[in-house]
Amino acid sequence: MADSSNFYVPAESIGDLEWLKPKIKRVEQFSGAVKGGHLSSAIAIDGSRMSERIRDGLPSVVYGYAQAAAAYVDLGAMEFQRAERFVDPVAIESAVNTALVSLDLPVAGAYTRPSIGIATSWRENLDRIFRTKKVEVNRLDQTLLDLLMLVHGTPGRPARGVPVNCPSDDCDAQDVLISTQGGVCPICEQVLYPTDVLRIHEEVMEEGTNESALGRLMSVVELLVLVGLTSLLWEQSRDDLLCSTLFIVDGPLAMYGPPAKLRGRAQEYFQAMAATTPGDGPYLCGLEKTGAMVDYAQQLARHEVLQPGDLLVCDEEVVKVVTNTANASSYGKETYWGRKFVYRAKDGRIVVPTVMPVTGAAYDARGGQAGPQGYPTLPAILDVIDRTGSSMYKDGIIPVAVAHGKAAFPIGVGTDVLRLVAEHKLGLGASARGTQVSGI
């Protein structure tokens, strides 16, 4: 039956594209000379995660790892080396600087203490992790909890508390204000943690690898790293470095699943930063490597509908066709804080950046802001994409490739090492007799 089934795939059924042509802009039409000159540096942020069953004798015990890397790239040095006859590897190395924040926790089958469920164990572990793990880059030295409170506040003024829903099944308390010290539910006296605002525990199951929840955690950490790095430059070099640096997230400017309310907080936070920054900064974008829009864009390039230097404005009509939805006006309004564009770089690469509007929502119930008006950072972002092509992966750019290389977990021997680390942390020695969990 599967062999004989027919399905509709938008990327394979592009049909007549006359309707699309008015939505395609030449980059020169709206950019001209990049305002304030070319950006001189880029900071890319990428995350990675992995979950491992600890050993054959305990298949239910799964340990998870997540990490986010930030890579600084001196674009001027990279361009100078590209113009040289022979590339100097020392110069390339000095043009790149990386930093990493990593975390780990038992994701299934092992608990912080006896007589609790896996959701409570996750809640306790997240509270511990966010209090102890730091983003340490130059003069930035803040815990993940510090940055979580910051994104719930405004630049320079962290929130005093975050609104938390009681996780107890028998309690309907909502938006309880919880400070960094934690608190209790005013109705059922359940212990509440500030990290409960993320609601990641709602996606955790007693069995399985909980890859989805681990992925949500990784996305949150990526966002908090972005908050920390932009805030550092906003506080210490607002007139210089912040206005000359592009911040790139590997993936869209979006937040999915239970932590999706962070979408609104990120949008408000960075728009408040933009309102207090000279010029058009901060320059922020996400880059999608997979998904329906990427597939559709590659088909457009294959049929020569998109030429090098073409920008496709993805308005409601484009969204409707690509996502095959009857309600395109509501697309992305709960998850995206940046708007998707499709750009075919001058060297032929296909890139799908998401860019934050200077005010208002990228997507809302009325279809949002299609652009390019309302996105003053877009010309400079496309300029960096044109200047930093990379052959390390398809349609890649150098800063993201560097960050990915730093964030990626090793395979083969590397996974064996991670498994041994997990056994040690869980108190599960190689002996078949060592089945007691302790010391988490």
Side-chain angles (χ1 to χ4, degrees):
M1 291 177 62
D3 289 341
S4 62
S5 296
N6 293 315
F7 298 94
Y8 174 71
V9 180
E12 292 290 344
S13 308
I14 58 176
D16 180 25
L17 294 172
E18 286 299 317
W19 65 275
L20 193 68
K21 291 181 179 179
K23 307 175 192 300
I24 298 174
K25 313 292 183 183
R26 289 298 299 172
V27 68
E28 296 86 358
Q29 288 181 250
F30 64 93
S31 65
V34 176
K35 185 178 178 181
H38 295 293
L39 299 183
S40 59
S41 58
I43 296 177
I45 298 167
D46 188 19
S48 183
R49 69 183 188 274
M50 175 180 290
S51 58
E52 283 290 327
R53 298 188 185 277
I54 300 308
R55 66 174 191 230
D56 295 338
L58 289 172
S60 64
V61 180
V62 184
Y63 207 81
Y65 304 85
Q67 57 190 23
Y72 167 86
V73 176
D74 184 334
L75 300 179
M78 286 290 178
E79 289 185 300
F80 179 81
Q81 285 301 308
R82 184 169 59 183
E84 293 292 298
R85 182 179 179 183
F86 298 106
V87 173
D88 183 354
V90 176
I92 293 292
E93 179 71 19
S94 63
V96 176
N97 193 13
T98 60
L100 181 72
V101 55
S102 60
L103 50 92
D104 58 88
L105 74 162
V107 296
Y111 307 85
T112 53
R113 52 192 173 89
S115 303
I116 62 170
I118 192 64
T120 300
S121 183
W122 266 73
R123 291 176 56 232
E124 294 179 356
N125 270 312
L126 291 187
D127 180 66
R128 170 184 58 82
I129 288 169
F130 273 60
R131 292 181 186 279
T132 56
K133 291 294 181 177
K134 290 185 175 183
V135 179
E136 298 176 282
V137 180
N138 294 333
R139 287 169 286 183
L140 176 63
D141 183 15
Q142 291 183 289
T143 66
L144 294 177
L145 183 57
D146 293 333
L147 297 173
L148 181 64
M149 304 305 285
L150 185 57
V151 76
H152 278 86
T154 57
R157 298 186 63 183
R160 294 185 177 181
V162 291
V164 167
N165 296 342
C166 182
S168 175
D169 295 334
D170 302 322
C171 183
D172 58 0
Q174 294 186 342
D175 295 333
V176 181
L177 196 64
I178 300 298
S179 69
T180 55
Q181 285 73 37
V184 295
C185 175
I187 296 179
C188 69
E189 298 186 349
Q190 165 84 272
V191 175
L192 301 179
Y193 306 106
T195 46
D196 288 340
V197 70
L198 302 174
R199 299 171 55 194
I200 293 176
H201 58 275
E202 295 179 9
E203 210 165 44
V204 175
M205 300 180 293
E206 288 289 346
E207 297 182 358
T209 61
N210 282 314
E211 278 279 349
S212 179
L214 191 61
R216 308 299 187 210
L217 175 58
M218 183 195 72
S219 297
V220 170
V221 173
E222 287 179 331
L223 174 60
L224 296 182
V225 171
L226 177 65
V227 169
L229 294 175
T230 53
S231 299
L232 175 68
L233 296 190
W234 181 84
E235 291 176 352
Q236 300 188 3
S237 189
R238 197 177 314 178
D239 298 323
D240 184 13
L241 291 178
L242 186 61
C243 296
S244 61
T245 301
L246 173 61
F247 294 87
I248 311 169
V249 177
D250 187 22
L253 298 183
M255 191 62 60
Y256 303 100
K261 283 190 174 181
L262 277 182
R263 176 210 66 84
R265 295 306 317 145
Q267 176 181 291
E268 292 180 18
Y269 184 85
F270 288 117
Q271 287 181 343
M273 183 179 288
T276 53
T277 299
D280 294 329
Y283 295 88
L284 309 169
C285 83
L287 289 180
E288 297 188 50
K289 298 196 296 287
T290 59
M293 190 66 77
V294 175
D295 292 343
Y296 192 77
Q298 289 173 346
Q299 284 288 78
L300 295 180
R302 190 174 298 120
H303 288 80
E304 297 298 328
V305 177
L306 284 180
Q307 299 293 326
D310 278 351
L311 178 80
L312 173 62
V313 176
C314 301
D315 61 9
E316 187 175 335
E317 191 175 8
V318 174
V319 170
K320 182 177 181 179
V321 169
V322 174
T323 62
N324 199 37
T325 180
N327 187 23
S329 60
S330 63
Y331 173 85
K333 67 185 182 69
E334 300 294 337
T335 51
Y336 279 78
W337 53 280
R339 184 85 188 195
K340 292 186 182 185
F341 295 86
V342 171
Y343 181 56
R344 188 171 188 187
K346 293 178 180 178
D347 61 2
R349 285 172 297 127
I350 289 292
V351 182
V352 179
T354 53
V355 183
M356 184 188 72
V358 67
T359 59
Y363 297 96
D364 57 30
R366 297 177 299 277
Q369 305 178 62
Q373 294 78 19
Y375 299 85
T377 62
L378 183 58
I381 291 171
L382 300 183
D383 176 64
V384 172
I385 291 172
D386 278 327
R387 295 158 57 200
T388 58
S390 170
S391 60
M392 293 181 70
Y393 58 86
K394 185 178 179 181
D395 298 326
I397 71 170
I398 291 172
V400 174
V402 174
H404 179 74
K406 181 68 173 179
F409 285 104
I411 59 175
V413 174
T415 57
D416 292 337
V417 172
L418 293 179
R419 190 177 296 111
L420 290 173
V421 171
E423 286 187 4
H424 173 74
K425 289 198 171 189
L426 291 173
L428 301 174
S431 167
R433 295 182 293 107
T435 58
Q436 181 178 359
V437 177
S438 62
I440 300 176

